[in-house]
């Protein structure tokens, strides 16, 4: 089987990342590189006569209220990684072939999908869901597919002759050759790929560097082109910059919703859940603000995480306007199928784990506790607070006698006249941790009919420790 590659070129990845914001669509927007040249622009800017590679000064003269954003390669790298992770469900061999392009090895997938058109239909459907501009082309070599895609051929075919005909008329300035190498080729009358193909390797080797020979051999498919293939990330992480600063926490929910939707797709494709999200809010001229939100039973749905974040933001105080956001997941785990019991009656709409998650989002992470028992005879050490719904796997080593429902924080001196009704119960323990206790406990009744839990020390002192309800 002949090798066949598909190249996807994304010229406006950073600009496309702002497409869901209304201002990016209606207002003229340009993205500048480090030399103050325009590298990306929206349709509103094109309508004003602004073009690629135009300087900022010239563009500003055409429109006084131009929105300018600096080029950020991190945004494009992240967006390209997200597209690759989704395409990985269709094609197994994907490579980051350039900062704005993905190379797909498709000839080994034709046996699975039957033909190239079916495979391309599934790839195109996945790309459409990302709302990005792209051009594409197939080729018999990675460099051929890239060159045709960058030139906007936008055709997928297995016919090698058709591919070679499309390559012939492309000018060398669109290739990956350096300007110095192109200048040397132009000086001997070689200006197109067709003219480069017509020169034998031996003649080129006498006058040009090995880089030209290597490029020509890889473009024609005569030389093997080494490719590093992509492996999907285990955890979700996405960063977005805002076109405008946000000063209110409730307004943040709208841009965060886009991140949560991407998270839902990420987890759904892997049939996984996560119990914790880490949201980083980048503040202007201030350190980033970290927000953690948890779901005890694990969750993947965007609407559930959005509801938890809405509760969390009710108590969130912003010290400065927010200029960017980043969402990261904690540990993920495979989702187990929902179990339905035919004979189980109708239950509440919210489970115990969901209730804990809602309360934690509303009140904070460190204010919810569950009571638990300890293997200790000392009454003040026999119980403890544990994280919500934590299961205590170790059972008590003993069965305690009757205990009051209200235990005083600290025993107080008994000041009332009481009648002993039951006892004594000797508790002598704690010598190993230097908090030894030697007490004789009694159940007593006061003159007002109250039931007390009292004890006597070896020094014959009486104390009140608890009150029965």
């Amino acid at each position: 089987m002949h090798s066949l590659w598909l190249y996807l070129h994304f010229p406006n990845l950073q600009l496309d990342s702002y497409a869901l914001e209304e201002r990016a669509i209606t207002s003229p927007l340009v993205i500048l590189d480090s030399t103050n040249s325009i590298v990306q622009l929206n349709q509103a800017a094109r309508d004003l006569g602004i073009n690629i590679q135009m300087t900022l000064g010239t563009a500003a003269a055409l429109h006084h209220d131009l929105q300018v954003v600096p080029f950020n390669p991190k945004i494009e790298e992240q967006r390209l990684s997200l597209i690759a992770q989704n395409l990985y469900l269709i094609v197994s061999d994907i490579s980051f072939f350039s900062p704005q392009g993905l190379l797909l090895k498709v000839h080994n997938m034709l046996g699975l999908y039957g033909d190239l058109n079916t495979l391309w239909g599934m790839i195109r459907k996945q790309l459409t869901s990302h709302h990005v501009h792209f051009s594409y082309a197939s080729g018999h070599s990675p460099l051929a597919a890239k060159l045709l895609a960058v030139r906007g051929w936008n055709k997928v075919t297995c016919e090698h002759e058709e591919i070679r005909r499309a390559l012939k008329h492309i000018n060398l300035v669109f290739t990956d050759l350096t300007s110095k190498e192109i200048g040397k080729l132009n000086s001997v009358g070689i200006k197109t790929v067709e003219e480069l193909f017509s020169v034998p390797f031996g003649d080129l080797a006498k006058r040009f560097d090995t880089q030209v020979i290597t490029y020509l051999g890889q473009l024609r498919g005569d030389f093997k082109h080494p490719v590093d293939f992509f492996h999907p990330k285990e955890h979700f992480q996405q960063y977005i910059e805002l076109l405008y600063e946000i000063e209110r926490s409730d307004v943040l929910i709208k841009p965060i919703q886009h991140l949560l939707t991407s998270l839902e797709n990420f987890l759904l494709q892997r049939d996984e859940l996560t119990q914790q999200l880490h949201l980083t809010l980048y503040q202007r001229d201030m350190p980033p603000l970290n927000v953690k939100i948890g779901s005890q039973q694990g969750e993947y749905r965007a609407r559930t995480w959005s509801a938890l974040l809405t509760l969390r933001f009710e108590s969130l105080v912003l010290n400065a306007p927010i200029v960017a956001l980043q969402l990261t997941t904690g540990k993920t785990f495979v989702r187990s199928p929902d179990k339905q019991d035919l004979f189980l009656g109708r239950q509440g709409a919210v489970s115990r784990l969901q209730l804990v998650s809602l309360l934690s989002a509303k009140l904070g992470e460190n204010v919810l506790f569950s009571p638990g028992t300890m293997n200790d005879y000392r009454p003040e050490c026999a119980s403890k607070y544990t994280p919500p719904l934590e299961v205590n796997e170790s059972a008590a080593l003993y069965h305690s006698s009757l205990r009051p429902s209200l235990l005083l924080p600290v025993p107080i001196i008994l000041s009332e006249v009481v009648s002993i009704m039951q006892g004594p119960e000797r508790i002598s323990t704690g010598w190993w941790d230097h908090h030894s206790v030697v007490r004789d406990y009694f159940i007593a009744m006061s003159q007002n009919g109250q039931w007390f839990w009292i004890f006597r020390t070896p020094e014959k002192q009486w104390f009140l420790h608890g009150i029965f309800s």
Side-chain angles (χ1 to χ4, degrees):
M1 179 186 294
H2 295 292
S3 63
L4 187 66
W5 303 83
L6 176 64
Y7 190 86
L8 305 172
H9 178 59
F10 305 93
N12 299 320
L13 277 177
Q14 182 173 345
L15 184 66
D16 291 335
S17 68
Y18 304 137
L20 296 176
E21 300 187 39
E22 185 177 352
R23 289 180 60 178
I25 301 174
T26 58
S27 303
L29 172 66
V30 297
I31 297 178
L32 299 182
D33 62 9
S34 58
T35 64
N36 279 339
S37 296
I38 296 174
V39 292
Q40 298 176 32
L41 69 162
N42 63 0
Q43 188 59 45
R46 292 181 187 276
D47 294 340
L48 296 172
I50 302 174
N51 298 314
I52 296 292
Q53 299 304 324
M54 183 179 287
T55 63
L56 178 59
T58 305
L62 294 175
H63 187 70
H64 68 282
D65 194 19
L66 189 65
Q67 194 168 3
V68 179
V69 178
F71 177 70
N72 188 344
K74 179 181 177 181
I75 297 177
E76 298 214 334
E77 179 184 348
Q78 180 181 259
R79 193 71 185 272
L80 199 63
S81 177
L82 181 62
I83 295 172
Q85 290 186 58
N86 290 337
L87 288 177
Y88 190 78
L89 301 174
I90 303 172
V91 181
S92 60
D93 296 323
I94 302 175
S95 174
F96 294 103
F97 205 63
S98 74
Q100 292 184 318
L102 293 176
L103 178 68
L104 281 63
K105 184 179 178 181
V106 296
H107 59 265
N108 59 336
M109 304 300 296
L110 297 181
L112 177 63
Y113 291 96
D115 57 69
L116 183 59
N117 289 332
T118 302
L119 174 59
W120 169 240
M122 297 189 66
I123 294 173
R124 190 182 187 101
K125 182 179 179 181
Q126 184 64 251
L127 293 173
T128 303
S129 66
H130 287 273
H131 305 286
V132 291
H133 294 85
F134 65 94
S135 57
Y136 58 93
S138 60
H140 53 269
S141 69
L143 286 179
K146 177 185 177 182
L147 184 56
L148 290 172
V150 172
R151 292 300 298 146
W153 193 41
N154 293 338
K155 193 168 184 179
V156 175
T157 178
C158 298
E159 299 296 331
H160 281 208
E161 283 303 317
E162 186 177 0
I163 295 171
R164 292 178 71 89
R165 287 196 300 270
L167 284 169
K168 287 183 177 180
H169 302 292
I170 298 179
N171 196 293
L172 293 181
V173 297
F174 299 106
T175 66
D176 291 340
L177 296 172
T178 64
S179 57
K180 181 179 179 181
E181 294 166 344
I182 293 174
K184 288 183 179 181
L185 290 168
N186 290 342
S187 66
V188 295
I190 302 175
K191 297 182 179 181
T192 64
V193 174
E194 180 181 14
E195 294 168 346
L196 184 63
F197 280 174
S198 64
V199 182
F201 275 118
D203 294 342
L204 287 174
K206 294 177 183 178
R207 302 190 58 176
F208 298 97
D209 297 334
T210 56
Q211 289 85 348
V212 176
I213 306 302
T214 302
Y215 180 82
L216 177 59
Q218 291 178 344
L219 181 63
R220 292 171 54 172
D222 297 331
F223 295 171
K224 183 177 177 58
H225 195 137
V227 176
D228 295 325
F229 291 113
F230 156 80
H231 297 283
K233 295 181 179 179
E234 295 183 2
H235 301 291
F236 177 87
Q237 180 175 334
Q238 189 170 343
Y239 168 90
I240 60 171
E241 283 187 351
L242 302 175
L243 282 179
Y244 52 92
E245 298 176 347
I246 296 179
E247 300 181 355
R248 291 169 45 192
S249 58
D250 58 326
V251 182
L252 279 172
I253 292 296
K254 185 174 181 180
I256 291 175
Q257 187 64 43
H258 303 320
L259 294 176
L260 295 176
T261 301
S262 297
L263 171 65
E264 179 177 327
N265 294 332
F266 178 89
L267 295 175
L268 189 60
Q269 290 167 359
R270 291 158 178 77
D271 199 23
E272 291 181 338
L273 303 174
T274 184
Q275 290 181 310
Q276 193 170 60
L277 297 185
H278 305 271
L279 181 64
T280 304
L281 307 177
Y282 293 92
Q283 304 180 101
R284 185 188 64 193
D285 302 327
M286 292 284 289
L289 184 62
N290 296 310
V291 178
K292 293 183 180 180
I293 194 74
S295 174
Q296 292 290 326
Q297 68 177 14
E299 189 56 69
Y300 73 94
R301 290 170 294 188
R303 68 174 185 270
T304 303
W305 285 117
S306 179
L308 294 174
L309 280 170
T310 301
L311 291 173
R312 179 67 178 86
F313 281 177
E314 289 180 359
S315 58
L316 182 67
V317 178
L318 300 179
N319 299 317
I322 305 301
V323 296
L325 306 167
Q326 179 171 291
L327 184 65
T328 308
T329 60
K331 292 183 179 181
T332 60
F333 54 93
V334 177
R335 182 167 65 101
S336 59
D338 298 330
K339 297 179 181 180
Q340 301 293 337
D341 191 338
L342 179 63
F343 302 102
L344 188 63
R346 180 177 178 83
Q347 303 296 310
V350 180
S351 67
R352 293 186 300 166
L353 293 175
Q354 290 173 326
L355 178 60
V356 169
S357 301
L358 291 171
L359 292 175
S360 297
K362 178 70 174 179
L363 305 176
E365 294 183 359
N366 301 318
V367 298
L368 295 182
F369 302 97
S370 293
T373 58
M374 296 284 289
N375 288 320
D376 200 311
Y377 287 94
R378 291 167 293 189
E380 55 268 34
C381 300
S383 62
K384 65 175 181 178
Y385 286 119
T386 63
L389 304 181
E390 182 179 272
V391 177
N392 187 7
E393 297 181 354
S394 59
L397 296 178
Y398 66 95
H399 297 284
S400 61
S401 303
L402 187 61
R403 293 288 184 264
S405 57
L406 175 61
L407 195 68
L408 300 180
V410 178
I412 61 175
I413 295 176
L414 182 62
S415 59
E416 295 189 41
V417 177
V418 297
S419 300
I420 301 297
M421 307 302 294
Q422 183 178 323
E425 176 192 351
R426 171 64 59 91
I427 295 180
S428 178
T429 186
W431 61 87
W432 59 86
D433 60 4
H434 306 292
H435 292 86
S436 61
V437 167
V438 180
R439 300 169 182 169
D440 289 328
Y441 277 88
F442 300 87
I443 297 177
M445 179 184 291
S446 70
Q447 293 179 341
N448 296 327
Q450 288 182 295
W451 290 83
F452 292 156
W453 199 43
I454 62 176
F455 66 83
R456 181 181 60 192
T457 66
E459 293 77 25
K460 308 301 182 183
Q461 291 180 310
W462 291 84
F463 291 85
L464 173 63
H465 202 174
I467 301 175
F468 290 92
S469 60

